Amino acid sequence: MTTRSPIRPWDLLSLDDEIGDEDKDIRDTVRRFCDDRVRPHVATWFEQARLPIRDLARELGVLGMHLHGYGCAGTSATAYGLACHELEAADSGIRSLVSVQGSLAMFAVHRFGSEDHKRQWLPELATGRAIGCFGLTEPDHGSDPAGLRTTAKRDGADWILNGSKMWITNGSAADVAVVWARADERIRGFLVPTGTKGFSAPEITRKMSLRASVTSQLVLEDVRLPADAVLPEAEGLSGPLSCLNEARYGIVFGAPGAARECLETAIDYAIERPVFGRSLAGFQLTQAKLADMAVELGKAMLLALRLGRLKDAGRISPHQISVGKLNNVRESIAIARECRTVLAANGITLDYPVIRHAGNLESVLTYEGTSEIHQLTVGQALTGIGAFK
Ligand code: TGC
Ligand code: FAD
């Protein structure tokens, strides 16, 4: 039988040379966690559409890892990206849990919250004792959150929230929801403890993608909140969009993790699989596929690491993150689909991770700004002309 090459896709461009020792240690720790706690179970979680979200959140140790203070680890942005890469190599749903908790809910509190908000919520969210979610999208306002219709009206000193949110990750598991609503014509963020009267979060079922992830509606019916529930430092759409920059950055690293897992699976499979009396990996058409995918994966990781450097230097711009999200999700889903052809019939089962990743990446292509939205963002950066409307 053919022996496996010692060069894995990640090693083709000696990518480890681009990463500092501390960041590598963090990455390797997350990889081991995924090997021990996620990989043995995730196909079953996906099949049964469930996630032991509370257990995982308490064990992960990466929630809000790139934030400073309030119980957060304060790692580099590159280390956070590499953690996302490892988590998504296991399953996009696990990376989603971490993205939403750390980059969306915790980041919103960290950047825009009062001192009391930070002290109350960040240590709980960092340890996974509490779960957070982030409600921006509405049934009729996904790509266009500027039109959102959830309202926050004053009643004396209190706020009364009414409206609904759609497709909210972690929603029905959450202890606190960051809800974006229109208050006096400005978009403001509110911290809504999910036990508040009038709040409910029915889970969205029958998903064929991201099945190992909790996705919910948020329903707000006359939800009364105290005056200090509003995030004082966020006014206007730039508040939630700043949070999206953080989560999109994680996806730039994360999506190629899913692609890496698919490509490694396809290489191993092709080596072992006899067709026409010899190894599938020895056919030129197969090698062309594998080579092209490894090249795209390497380019995606170089792009991710470049954005990591820019973010660590405090110099990253939203349109640069759009370049990364657009390219890396688009190429990762193409790799996952191509790997599925290498596995052929075996590629459609949950015995291999490929169809699960390919299916998950359909959501990743859509959330955190669709590919079209990121094309338009890059187009605007290049031309100075906004073509969204
Ligand atoms: P526009 O008029 O361009 O801007 C409004 C205000 O926002 C500022 N801004 C940004 N600020 C920070 N970061 C960015 N990326 C920003 N982009 C714009 C802008 O300067 C302006 O500020 P100000 O002070 O003048 O008011 O806004 P627009 O209405 O034309 O929309 C622009 C557009 C289409 C790019 C934006 O709406 C958009 O990104 N849409 C996509 C929505 C989206 O990505 N939703 C994601 C929801 S969360 C999610 O999917 C979680 S998935 C789970 C997981 O991550 O795993
Ligand atoms: P639409 O906005 O209706 O878009 C439909 C199509 O039109 C797309 O192809 C889009 O690219 C295209 N389009 C839109 N505008 C333009 C334009 N100007 N020019 C050209 N084409 C355009 N949201 C949250 O707030 N929090 C969450 O935690 C969250 N988690 C999610 C989890 C999952 C599994 C999924 C699938 C979604 C999640 N979302 C979340 C919502 C997600 O961000 C939205 O689905 C996404 O922003 C797209 O919105 P939409 O689905 O309403 O599509």
Side-chain angles (χ1 to χ4, degrees):
M1 187 46 72
T2 322
T3 50
R4 202 176 90 170
S5 161
I7 298 177
R8 305 299 278 166
W10 177 275
D11 303 322
L12 199 58
L13 297 177
S14 305
L15 288 171
D16 265 14
D17 295 354
E18 300 295 317
I19 306 168
D21 287 343
E22 203 174 313
D23 293 351
K24 246 185 280 183
D25 285 348
I26 294 170
R27 176 198 67 186
D28 293 346
T29 304
V30 177
R31 185 178 297 183
R32 278 194 300 276
F33 176 85
C34 290
D35 284 343
D36 294 345
R37 283 290 290 120
V38 182
R39 281 195 177 79
H41 312 291
V42 70
T44 305
W45 296 338
F46 184 98
E47 187 173 18
Q48 298 176 353
R50 67 183 173 86
L51 184 71
I53 187 168
R54 291 215 166 255
D55 292 345
L56 282 175
R58 282 169 188 265
E59 293 169 36
L60 271 163
V62 297
L63 301 170
M65 63 187 267
H66 58 310
L67 303 175
H68 291 264
Y70 307 97
C72 304
T75 69
S76 72
T78 301
Y80 172 59
L82 291 166
C84 288
H85 184 79
E86 292 305 325
L87 294 166
E88 194 143 1
D91 194 89
S92 302
I94 313 299
R95 198 268 308 134
S96 246
L97 156 62
V98 170
S99 289
V100 168
Q101 177 102 345
S103 288
L104 294 180
M106 291 177 71
F107 181 82
V109 175
H110 196 272
R111 169 68 71 88
F112 300 119
S114 67
E115 191 57 31
D116 283 349
H117 291 150
K118 293 178 199 182
R119 288 200 183 149
Q120 180 184 359
W121 287 110
L122 291 176
E124 293 295 298
L125 291 163
T127 52
R129 287 193 296 266
I131 304 287
C133 70
F134 182 91
L136 178 63
T137 303
E138 298 186 351
D140 293 330
H141 294 282
S143 300
D144 176 22
L148 65 81
R149 288 208 284 259
T150 298
T151 56
K153 296 207 164 108
R154 285 284 194 184
D155 182 31
D158 291 348
W159 294 98
I160 308 288
L161 267 60
N162 277 290
S164 66
K165 299 289 175 182
M166 192 66 184
W167 305 113
I168 306 306
T169 302
N170 298 353
S172 37
D175 300 284
V176 62
V178 176
V179 172
W180 298 94
R182 194 173 297 287
D184 301 331
E185 291 314 306
R186 294 291 277 169
I187 290 174
R188 305 293 307 263
F190 294 84
L191 294 185
V192 184
T194 54
T196 311
K197 189 163 173 269
F199 179 95
S200 60
E203 190 162 349
I204 296 171
T205 56
R206 309 186 78 186
K207 287 181 300 175
M208 297 307 290
S209 169
L210 274 194
R211 289 172 61 78
S213 174
V214 174
T215 317
S216 315
Q217 291 179 57
L218 305 184
V219 181
L220 299 115
E221 290 172 329
D222 290 329
V223 171
R224 179 178 290 274
L225 298 172
D228 64 4
V230 69
L231 296 171
E233 305 299 331
E235 267 199 66
L237 194 58
S238 62
L241 292 182
S242 305
C243 304
L244 299 189
N245 295 335
E246 298 294 306
R248 291 168 176 175
Y249 166 82
I251 291 172
V252 174
F253 280 80
R260 186 196 84 201
E261 185 99 342
C262 292
L263 182 52
E264 290 185 341
T265 304
I267 292 169
D268 291 346
Y269 185 89
I271 290 169
E272 296 296 329
R273 174 75 183 172
V275 293
F276 292 90
R278 61 191 176 91
S279 168
L280 172 61
F283 288 82
Q284 290 183 349
L285 285 176
T286 308
Q287 291 199 2
K289 286 183 187 178
L290 299 177
D292 285 351
M293 290 191 282
V295 168
E296 286 308 325
L297 179 62
K299 284 155 67 180
M301 283 317 296
L302 287 172
L303 172 53
L305 290 167
R306 168 69 184 148
L307 294 186
R309 299 277 170 276
L310 286 171
K311 188 157 168 57
D312 277 323
R315 292 195 290 120
I316 199 164
S317 311
H319 66 261
Q320 293 173 324
I321 298 173
S322 284
V323 172
K325 206 268 178 181
L326 173 63
N327 182 76
N328 286 9
V329 180
R330 192 164 59 186
E331 295 308 327
S332 295
I333 199 168
I335 289 171
R337 289 169 179 161
E338 186 83 310
C339 288
R340 216 285 306 155
T341 71
V342 174
L343 274 73
N346 277 318
I348 71 158
T349 76
L350 287 175
D351 293 341
Y352 295 88
V354 176
I355 195 79
R356 177 167 52 79
H357 280 305
N360 284 340
L361 287 168
E362 295 290 344
S363 289
V364 182
L365 197 66
T366 286
Y367 67 32
E368 290 294 351
T370 62
S371 292
E372 293 79 6
I373 289 299
H374 291 295
Q375 286 174 316
L376 292 170
T377 302
V378 177
Q380 183 177 29
L382 292 172
T383 64
I385 303 169
F388 297 102
K389 299 167 189 155

